[in-house]
Amino acid sequence: MPTIDIIIMAAGKGTRMKSSRPKVLHRLAGRPLLQHVLGTAAQLQPRSAVVVTGHGAIEVEASCAVPATATATFDLKFVRQEPQLGTGHAVQQAAPLLAGDGTVVVLSGDVPLTQPETLRALVAAAQAAPGGALALLTVALADPSGYGRIVRDSAGAVQGIVEHKDASEAQRAITEIYSGIMAVPAHRLKGWLARLNNHNAQGEYYLTDIVAMAVQDGVPVLGHCITDALQVAGINSPLQLAQLERAHQLRQAHALMEQGTRLADPARFDLRDDVRSGVRGQLVCAGDVEIDVGCIFTGHVELGQGVHIGAYCCIANARIAAGAVVHPYTHIDGEVAGVSVGEGALIGPFARLRPGAQLGREVHIGNFVEVKNSSLADGAKANHLAYLGDATVGERVNYGAGSITANYDGANKHRTVIESDVHIGSNCVLVAPITIGAGGTVGGGSTLTKDTAPGALSVSRGKPISIAQWQRPAKQPKA
C-alpha cells in the first residue's frame, strides 16, 4: 500500500438531529459515529489523520482520546473550520497539515460503516494511473435525493459531480451518487483546492468541484462503484440514525445465523462496541446457541456449546461456558475485569453479575441476586435476593435468601471466604473480613463479625421481646 493520509470531515452541526450534541458524537452500535470512522481509518495504516472540527470542536476532539480510537497507529491531528463554508473549505483547512507525497483519503465523520477493504480498493484505483488519478466512491441508489450526482459522458467517463440543489431535472434523474469519499494524490489535491470558488446556489466551496478541474487537467477520474449502500450511508436525522442502526444490527444478526446461531428474531438483536474499555463488539458462538428476543451484547462475549440466552438479557464482556442457561432479564457486565460463567450454570431471571464474577460448573444464581468481584466454586447456589461482593465461595455452598456480604467499611473493601459445604441461612450479614469454616452452618437472621470453625453452627441474634396487648400509636385528627 502507498503512503496514506486521511482527512475526516467532522465540523458540521447536524441541525436536523435537533440535539446539542455534535452530530458525529451520536452513537451507532454503542459507539460515536466518529469513532467508527477513526477505527476504519486505523485499519488502512495511514501515516496521519486530520480531523476537521467546527461545531462542538472541543467535545469532538476530546472524544478521540478514548481507547476505541486506536490512534496509536498513526499521527492524529485536528484543525478547526470556522466558519463552516462547505466541504471544499473544510479540506482547505486540513491540506496544510498534509505532506505532498502520499494519497489522501477523504472521509466523512457521519458515515460510519465503510469497510477497510472498500477503501483499499479505492486507494488502489487512485494509484493505478501514471501520476495518480482521482478516485470517487460511488453507489447507485433507488432514491438519490439530496446526494451529488455522478455525471458521465457517452463513453462512461466521469465528467463531474453536480450537487442536488444545483442539478437540472435531467441530472436529478441520475441514480449514481457520490458518497463523499474519495482518494486523490496529495500534490494534485492541493493545487485544485487553491482554485475552488463559491459560485453556486449555496455560496459554499464544494469539494466536488475538483472533479471538473481534474477532467480539465487531463487527470483520470474514476468512479469506483459499489453495490452496498450501507457502507456509504450518512446520518442527518434521528430517523436515519435509527434506520442505519437497525440495518447494521440485522446484518450482524444474519452473519451469526449463517454460522449456526439461532436467533428467535434477528430484528430484535443488538451487538455493540464497549466504549468504556475500547473493546469492539464481537459475539463468538459455539454450536447450538439459542438467543431469545431483545438481547443486547456489548464488547467481547463468548457463548459455549448449547448455551441458551433468555429474552431481554444484557451481556457485556463475558464468557459463558457450554450448557449454561441465562434466564430472561439478566444483566451481566464484565467491563475490563470480565465475567465467566461455568458449564451448566443457571443464571437469573433478574440476576446481576458485575465485573470479576467468576462462576464454576453448575452454579445457580437466582432472581435478584448480585455478584461482584467474587468466585463461586462448582455447585454453589445463591437462589434469590442476595448479595455476594468481594467473596470467595467454596463448592456446594448454599447461600440463603436475603443474605449479604458486608464488604465495605466506608473506606476499604474487605474479603469474605465461605469454605466448601457451608449453609448460610436467610437474612444473614457476614461482616468482612471473615471466614466461614468448611461444612459450617449459619442460622437465619445472624450477623457475624468473627471467623467460624469448620462444622460449627453459628447463630447471632438479639433476644426476642414480646409485649402483650401493645397498641400502635393512633393518628392524630387533623386540626
Side-chain angles (χ1 to χ4, degrees):
M1 291 291 292
T3 300
I4 295 174
D5 295 297
I6 307 285
I7 296 175
I8 301 175
M9 293 187 287
K13 182 176 182 180
T15 303
R16 283 194 284 161
M17 294 300 295
K18 300 187 183 304
S19 171
S20 60
R21 181 186 305 169
K23 180 170 68 169
V24 296
L25 297 188
H26 286 268
R27 294 189 175 190
L28 178 99
R31 191 160 54 128
L33 302 175
L34 180 57
Q35 288 291 333
H36 285 273
V37 180
L38 283 166
T40 300
Q43 294 187 59
L44 298 182
Q45 298 182 326
R47 171 174 54 189
S48 68
V50 181
V51 179
V52 182
T53 63
H55 178 73
I58 295 175
E59 188 178 357
V60 171
E61 291 166 11
S63 75
C64 297
V66 302
T69 303
T71 56
T73 58
F74 57 85
D75 181 22
L76 182 62
K77 306 172 184 177
F78 300 97
V79 66
R80 302 279 177 88
Q81 183 193 17
E82 295 174 341
Q84 287 87 57
L85 300 177
T87 54
H89 181 251
V91 176
Q92 284 176 338
Q93 312 314 301
L97 301 182
L98 302 176
D101 60 341
T103 297
V104 177
V105 178
V106 179
L107 304 174
S108 296
D110 63 347
V111 179
L113 298 180
T114 313
Q115 297 301 302
E117 55 269 22
T118 298
L119 296 180
R120 292 188 188 102
L122 187 70
V123 171
Q127 290 292 317
L134 172 57
L136 309 174
L137 186 62
T138 71
V139 65
L141 299 178
D143 180 9
S145 299
Y147 292 95
R149 307 305 204 277
I150 298 295
V151 179
R152 297 178 181 266
D153 63 19
S154 58
V158 175
Q159 295 299 297
I161 300 173
V162 60
E163 296 295 331
H164 179 88
K165 294 176 182 178
D166 299 315
S168 66
E169 287 301 315
Q171 290 170 331
R172 290 186 180 186
I174 298 171
T175 59
E176 185 182 12
I177 63 97
Y178 170 54
S179 67
I181 296 172
M182 67 170 59
V184 54
H187 68 281
R188 296 193 183 280
L189 175 64
K190 292 188 175 188
W192 293 329
L193 290 173
R195 293 158 55 185
L196 288 178
N197 62 63
N198 63 346
H199 302 156
N200 52 63
Q202 293 297 107
E204 294 184 348
Y205 296 87
Y206 292 153
L207 181 60
T208 50
D209 286 349
I210 72 171
V211 176
M213 297 178 191
V215 172
Q216 182 181 359
D217 293 348
V219 177
V221 180
L222 308 174
H224 181 70
C225 190
I226 61 173
T227 59
D228 183 7
L230 196 61
Q231 289 197 47
V232 299
I235 304 298
N236 290 301
S237 69
L239 176 60
Q240 289 179 338
L241 179 60
Q243 290 172 335
L244 190 59
E245 177 77 44
R246 292 317 327 147
H248 173 59
Q249 295 297 348
L250 190 61
R251 179 167 291 187
Q252 295 190 116
H254 287 171
L256 284 167
M257 291 188 294
E258 289 172 358
Q259 297 168 12
T261 301
R262 291 190 282 281
L263 301 181
D265 184 355
R268 289 183 283 175
F269 165 87
D270 281 83
L271 174 59
R272 301 174 180 173
D273 298 331
D274 187 352
V275 294
R276 300 167 303 177
S277 58
V279 177
R280 298 296 298 272
Q282 184 179 26
L283 178 58
V284 180
C285 297
D288 293 316
V289 168
E290 297 183 18
I291 300 173
D292 211 332
V293 300
C295 293
I296 300 173
F297 298 90
T298 304
H300 184 85
V301 177
E302 296 181 13
L303 305 180
Q305 181 76 27
V307 165
H308 184 274
I309 307 296
Y312 301 105
C313 292
C314 296
I315 302 176
N317 299 314
R319 290 178 172 84
I320 300 175
V325 175
V326 180
H327 291 294
Y329 298 99
T330 291
H331 188 190
I332 300 175
D333 188 358
E335 288 189 7
V336 178
V339 167
S340 67
V341 176
E343 293 184 12
L346 302 178
I347 312 298
F350 298 100
R352 185 183 184 195
L353 304 183
R354 292 172 62 192
Q358 307 292 316
L359 311 185
R361 296 165 57 93
E362 307 294 336
V363 167
H364 292 186
I365 299 295
N367 47 287
F368 306 106
V369 174
E370 179 179 347
V371 180
K372 187 270 298 181
N373 194 30
S374 298
S375 63
L376 280 74
D378 296 351
K381 297 178 181 179
N383 278 322
H384 24 242
L385 302 163
Y387 173 67
L388 283 159
D390 298 291
T392 301
V393 180
E395 296 179 349
R396 299 172 297 280
V397 166
N398 192 312
Y399 194 78
S403 293
I404 68 167
T405 57
N407 56 321
Y408 183 52
D409 64 7
N412 300 294
K413 299 289 182 68
H414 303 280
R415 196 149 194 90
T416 297
V417 177
I418 304 173
E419 295 181 344
S420 298
D421 299 303
V422 166
H423 182 97
I424 306 292
S426 297
N427 295 316
C428 293
V429 180
L430 307 180
V431 182
I434 190 171
T435 297
I436 309 300
T441 300
V442 178
S446 296
T447 296
L448 300 185
T449 60
K450 296 181 179 180
D451 296 352
T452 68
L457 169 64
S458 302
V459 181
S460 174
R461 299 172 182 158
K463 182 179 179 180
I465 298 174
S466 179
I467 301 175
Q469 300 183 1
W470 180 76
Q471 296 294 318
R472 293 193 186 105
K475 289 185 178 181
Q476 298 296 320
K478 294 182 179 179

